[in-house]
Amino acid sequence: MLWVLCAFFGVVSALQALPPVQWLSSNASSAGFSIAKSLKIIYLKKDFVGHTDTEGLTLIPPTAYEFAETFRQDLSQLFGSYWMLEKVEEFPATGIFLGPFRDGASQLTYENGIATEEGYELEVTGQSVYIGGTGSRGMFWGTRTLLQELLIANGTDLPSGRIVDAPAYATRGYMLDAGRKWYSPSFLKELCTYASFFKMSEFHYHSSDNYPLSRGYNGTWNKIFSHFSLYPEHPGLRGIIQRKNETLLRADFEEFQKHCAQRGVTVIPEIEAPGHCLAITKWKPELALAKKDLLNLTHPEAIPTVKAIWAEFLPWFQTKEVHIGADEYDFTLADDYISFVNEISDFVNSTSGKRVRIWGTYEPSENLTISKDVIAQHWQYGQSDPVILQSEGYDIINSEDWWAYMSLKNDHTPILPAPYSQFYNITRTMNFANVPGWQWDPALFNSVNATEQLAPSASRNRGAILAAWNDNGPDATTQLEAYYAMRNGIPVVGARAWSGSRGPNITTTSLSSTLDFLIPKAPGQNLERRISSLHSPSSGAPLLSWSRQPSDPANVTVTLGKGSYGPPYTLTMRISAPFLLSGPDSSLSLTTIPTNASNSTITVQTIVFTTADNFPYPLRSVSLSSLSPTDPDHAGRIFTNITTSTHNPVPIDVPADIRIETDIVNGSRVWVDGVFAGRFEVFIFGGRNTLFSWSQMALVAPVDVVQGDRLILPESPGIAKLRHEFERPFIARS
């Protein structure tokens, strides 16, 4: 067996930091700061070492020293030398210096005029760089700017000049639906690390939910998928848990929060009620309304049960604000709903001192109103109106679904409003309300009536959060496909929420090349699944190779130790017997499986990808005509009412030459002996059980362990060919 991993490198030009920055002065003609010429020491002002912020949402704010240590690690990783961190009374003549903002820090505010600890100055003078923050986070955000500017400048001759910068909004966040899909602690931390590189400030963790009752096989309600992703320590609450191995223990969650805080990001946990509550009503069916995922708030045990859950988890949550969900309830029960929201808000505040957020929702009561202490996260017109919320004195977060929402893998068609793109829709940010060049910011909500927006200085507007929903269930995506969906959205939304209406816009012409350049370089994470231990060769040269030796035993196991390799890639193999390629994210095997779930006695031998959370995806028969042309709103989706494909498992007769081409949009497609055979895919139920479809799976290549019988070299090494449209293709021969 021979493995070859190849890379293609493009030309970088006209790039821009994200969020963009404005240099107040610059002397491009003079020799600037160079990493190569600098002593590998970061100097931190002693009187700033122990500084911690007080105005942010985290209850575990890092010190300036801790932020500086994170910066030291990132600098060492990105530029290949070991850097040291020293505390000093006075700075030397040259070097990288960290400390407080030097003059007029009170002048740095959010766009609504409130002072911010997130502002910074960055000054380059010859061979010295000074970063000063209005708070510890501000200093840290300044280090993100420096890293990006150094990367763009290739580490050399960063010109002299000064930046004074502060975010327009405090809330610059992203939400991940972990109630309908399991995400491991390592993935959550990597995603947080990635987002912080682009100055995101919040990770909204949607911890509980259930598959929509209007979709699926119309099975018994208590067999519909639901999930509660936090494992209670109190034995009396464990009835809420159905899959213990897919939960975070308290130590896991606290480590997750600490990790994020060390990078300036606060985790905002959400426990959903009184809707989307199937995890509770399966446990206690007597608490359900006729629609079984809604709590019957008039039942005497309903609110005490919700309070008991919050009482268990509030001590876990190291944040000043939490989210109680509270959306899509029965609007005819508005008084019960409003009373519930206010009672839970009072309970959370009185027992923990925390404020609560809810999804903006429709509650047409003549008698009651939701407390002004509650923060409304607006997500859709018809549910709430931001202009009215502002005028009535509610704090607001912008998650308007038109720009903010993704439904991972497929939209809600035919349920309106659709489509919720399966990948973040950058066009709606760069051309808000379909107006070319009108870049969205958190004051912009209404894409239909462009005059109905909040003022940039609106006192109650906290900022914005994009949202990635797993409405299609736990098997519709891999964990990494959530990253692929948000990959471009996080830096773009982070940039626009930071700049607001007052800061520099994103340069449209260079955005694509900027994202392609900066995203893989975000330090402290490897969501792209690149193999960092390998050198970067010229285009087309192998990165990784291995061949079976004649002396190897028939059933050989070889450890490559390279983990996973992410798309885009091409994997080619010659297989002659059952085998297993495995890695931390997935495995690939030649396996005998049932041809369908109802008749396990009829089997077929095919190749199967299995993800780390144990969902198998066999190669299924799909015609190329079904895949093309692709509707951008339905990338990779084949509707069952129009397809000519069978989607049956594809029999593999060995020996066979296999080629798998994978990219994020088209997924993992397969050629057998040079003929297109199909792809790895998943069945998706349409909204209200209409428009059923099959959708692509983009699966990473496992390059950690190889096991198999009679693994042989191909007769012709030329069987593996480089596809030029793939930036970093992966080629394997066996």
Side-chain angles (χ1 to χ4, degrees):
M1 179 180 282
L2 174 66
W3 299 82
V4 184
L5 191 61
C6 299
F8 178 79
F9 300 93
V11 177
V12 175
S13 62
L15 303 181
Q16 178 184 37
L18 292 175
V21 293
Q22 184 68 51
W23 289 90
L24 299 181
S25 59
S26 179
N27 184 358
S29 63
S30 65
F33 178 81
S34 171
I35 285 287
K37 297 176 183 177
S38 175
L39 287 175
K40 304 303 182 282
I41 303 174
I42 301 165
Y43 301 97
L44 175 63
K45 207 76 156 81
K46 263 191 178 178
D47 57 7
F48 200 60
V49 165
H51 180 87
T52 56
D53 292 351
T54 60
E55 300 302 319
L57 292 182
T58 182
L59 295 174
I60 47 174
T63 63
Y65 183 86
E66 290 173 297
F67 277 131
E69 171 58 22
T70 300
F71 172 51
R72 184 198 67 77
Q73 294 172 17
D74 292 345
L75 200 58
S76 298
Q77 176 195 328
L78 290 176
F79 295 99
S81 298
Y82 181 82
W83 286 70
M84 296 185 292
L85 176 61
E86 291 187 6
K87 309 169 196 175
V88 294
E89 298 280 1
E90 299 293 336
F91 295 127
T94 62
I96 297 179
F97 311 140
L98 305 179
F101 195 93
R102 291 174 294 192
D103 296 303
S106 61
Q107 298 175 15
L108 294 186
T109 67
Y110 296 115
E111 204 155 18
N112 60 11
I114 296 175
T116 173
E117 295 171 315
E118 297 188 87
Y120 69 91
E121 60 175 319
L122 189 160
E123 186 168 23
V124 180
T125 308
Q127 268 304 106
S128 69
V129 178
Y130 181 80
I131 299 174
T134 57
S136 298
R137 281 175 300 154
M139 182 196 75
F140 181 70
W141 298 138
T143 68
R144 306 301 90 183
T145 298
L146 178 61
L147 290 176
Q148 290 191 25
E149 293 285 352
L150 285 170
L151 285 168
I152 291 169
N154 200 26
T156 63
D157 295 330
L158 193 63
S160 297
R162 188 166 186 260
I163 298 168
V164 176
D165 196 14
Y169 294 89
T171 294
R172 309 176 303 279
Y174 58 99
M175 189 221 77
L176 180 61
D177 177 3
R180 285 175 282 207
K181 171 70 182 177
W182 162 243
Y183 294 98
S184 68
S186 60
F187 174 83
L188 296 172
K189 288 187 283 189
E190 279 194 281
L191 188 62
C192 195
T193 299
Y194 171 73
S196 76
F197 190 54
F198 302 102
K199 301 189 177 81
M200 281 291 203
S201 63
E202 295 182 12
F203 187 158
H204 176 171
Y205 181 78
H206 185 82
S207 74
S208 62
D209 213 318
N210 53 266
Y211 192 76
L213 295 180
S214 60
R215 300 189 199 181
Y217 295 100
N218 292 316
T220 306
W221 67 272
N222 60 8
K223 298 186 184 303
I224 300 296
F225 181 88
S226 63
H227 189 49
F228 197 96
S229 65
L230 306 176
Y231 190 75
E233 295 178 315
H234 193 294
L237 294 173
R238 291 178 187 162
I240 206 169
I241 301 299
Q242 296 188 28
R243 289 168 301 283
K244 181 181 178 182
N245 64 322
E246 294 184 357
T247 58
L248 300 176
L249 302 176
R250 180 170 183 171
D252 296 327
F253 197 79
E254 290 185 343
E255 174 59 27
F256 165 42
Q257 293 175 100
K258 181 180 178 182
H259 176 91
C260 291
Q262 295 290 322
R263 290 186 173 270
V265 180
T266 301
V267 176
I268 306 294
E270 176 184 358
I271 298 175
E272 180 78 65
H276 300 264
C277 274
L278 209 55
I280 296 177
T281 58
K282 284 182 185 178
W283 173 35
K284 296 189 174 186
E286 67 276 12
L287 303 186
L289 289 174
K291 187 174 184 295
K292 295 298 186 178
D293 62 348
L294 302 183
L295 285 178
N296 178 1
L297 296 174
T298 64
H299 191 288
E301 292 302 315
I303 292 178
T305 296
V306 175
K307 286 182 177 178
I309 292 170
W310 275 105
E312 169 75 3
F313 292 109
L314 278 170
W316 293 28
F317 299 154
Q318 301 298 324
T319 171
K320 298 176 186 177
E321 293 176 7
V322 295
H323 205 299
I324 65 170
D327 68 320
E328 296 185 308
Y329 195 64
D330 186 338
F331 70 89
T332 67
L333 304 175
D335 285 2
D336 294 337
Y337 167 86
I338 293 170
S339 296
F340 167 83
V341 169
N342 290 341
E343 187 169 348
I344 297 301
S345 174
D346 289 343
F347 174 78
V348 169
N349 185 262
S350 63
T351 57
S352 69
K354 305 180 193 300
R355 288 185 71 185
V356 305
R357 301 177 180 182
I358 64 169
W359 296 104
T361 192
Y362 179 56
E363 64 284 335
S365 174
E366 297 180 358
N367 307 306
L368 301 173
T369 58
I370 289 176
S371 166
K372 301 298 192 300
D373 290 334
V374 174
I375 301 160
Q377 188 167 342
H378 167 86
W379 69 278
Q380 188 181 96
Y381 284 92
Q383 299 292 325
S384 60
D385 187 312
V387 174
I388 294 174
L389 289 171
Q390 165 76 21
S391 67
E392 292 183 348
Y394 290 97
D395 284 352
I396 313 159
I397 295 169
N398 184 346
S399 288
E400 165 63 27
D401 61 355
W402 184 83
W403 72 264
Y405 271 27
M406 291 155 278
S407 180
L408 298 189
K409 200 48 63 74
N410 274 312
D411 61 33
H412 288 194
T413 303
I415 298 174
L416 296 177
Y420 290 164
S421 176
Q422 60 176 298
F423 303 100
Y424 184 79
N425 192 328
I426 289 181
T427 301
R428 294 184 178 183
T429 302
M430 301 302 291
N431 305 297
F432 182 74
N434 297 320
V435 177
W438 187 14
Q439 295 191 15
W440 167 89
D441 68 61
L444 302 177
F445 290 78
N446 198 322
S447 63
V448 177
N449 186 345
T451 64
E452 290 291 321
Q453 316 294 350
L454 293 185
S457 59
S459 60
R460 296 291 183 175
N461 191 2
R462 303 277 294 274
I465 296 175
L466 64 88
W469 294 100
N470 279 301
D471 291 343
N472 295 298
D475 66 338
T477 62
T478 68
Q479 295 191 43
L480 285 169
E481 281 183 309
Y483 162 67
Y484 304 153
M486 291 188 282
R487 177 185 189 268
N488 292 347
I490 282 173
V492 170
V493 171
R496 295 303 305 136
W498 180 281
S499 289
S501 66
R502 69 186 182 186
N505 279 354
I506 296 170
T507 301
T508 305
T509 55
S510 65
L511 177 58
S512 178
S513 56
T514 293
L515 292 172
D516 288 344
F517 178 76
L518 287 178
I519 283 172
K521 293 178 173 57
Q525 55 79 41
N526 187 23
L527 290 167
E528 297 281 288
R529 295 302 189 254
R530 295 293 171 252
I531 302 175
S532 59
S533 62
L534 303 179
H535 297 293
S536 298
S538 59
S539 177
L543 287 178
L544 175 64
S545 64
W546 173 77
S547 60
R548 182 185 183 276
Q549 302 301 315
S551 58
D552 289 338
N555 196 342
V556 63
T557 297
V558 174
T559 299
L560 300 174
K562 303 302 182 184
S564 302
Y565 195 84
Y569 66 82
T570 298
L571 165 64
T572 68
M573 305 175 293
R574 181 169 176 80
I575 59 176
S576 57
F579 70 93
L580 174 68
L581 315 178
S582 59
D585 299 295
S586 64
S587 64
L588 178 64
S589 61
L590 179 66
T591 307
T592 299
I593 64 168
T595 56
N596 61 66
S598 61
N599 190 346
S600 61
T601 63
I602 303 175
T603 61
V604 63
Q605 181 175 254
T606 190
I607 51 174
V608 179
F609 255 116
T610 303
T611 57
D613 41 4
N614 293 316
F615 287 110
Y617 302 92
L619 172 61
R620 294 187 179 276
S621 178
V622 173
S623 66
L624 276 174
S625 61
S626 296
L627 297 175
S628 183
T630 299
D631 181 341
D633 289 331
H634 303 292
R637 188 172 193 177
I638 303 175
F639 292 103
T640 58
N641 62 330
I642 61 171
T643 183
T644 58
S645 303
T646 68
H647 303 278
N648 292 328
V650 176
I652 301 294
D653 296 322
V654 294
D657 293 320
I658 305 294
R659 184 172 88 250
I660 302 172
E661 295 184 359
T662 297
D663 64 65
I664 290 168
V665 174
N666 296 294
S668 299
R669 297 168 294 165
V670 180
W671 283 255
V672 178
D673 293 328
V675 178
F676 182 75
R679 64 178 184 170
F680 302 99
E681 58 183 12
V682 63
F683 185 80
I684 300 288
F685 288 97
R688 300 195 180 99
N689 280 349
T690 60
L691 290 179
F692 299 160
S693 59
W694 291 88
S695 289
Q696 78 284 9
M697 297 298 299
L699 298 148
V700 300
V703 286
D704 210 47
V705 175
V706 187
Q707 296 172 280
D709 184 28
R710 298 187 352 239
L711 300 176
I712 61 174
L713 293 174
E715 295 178 4
S716 170
I719 194 172
K721 296 181 180 179
L722 183 64
R723 295 292 300 269
H724 295 293
E725 66 265 37
F726 295 148
E727 283 186 69
R728 291 167 288 272
F730 177 88
I731 300 177
R733 305 188 187 103
S734 67

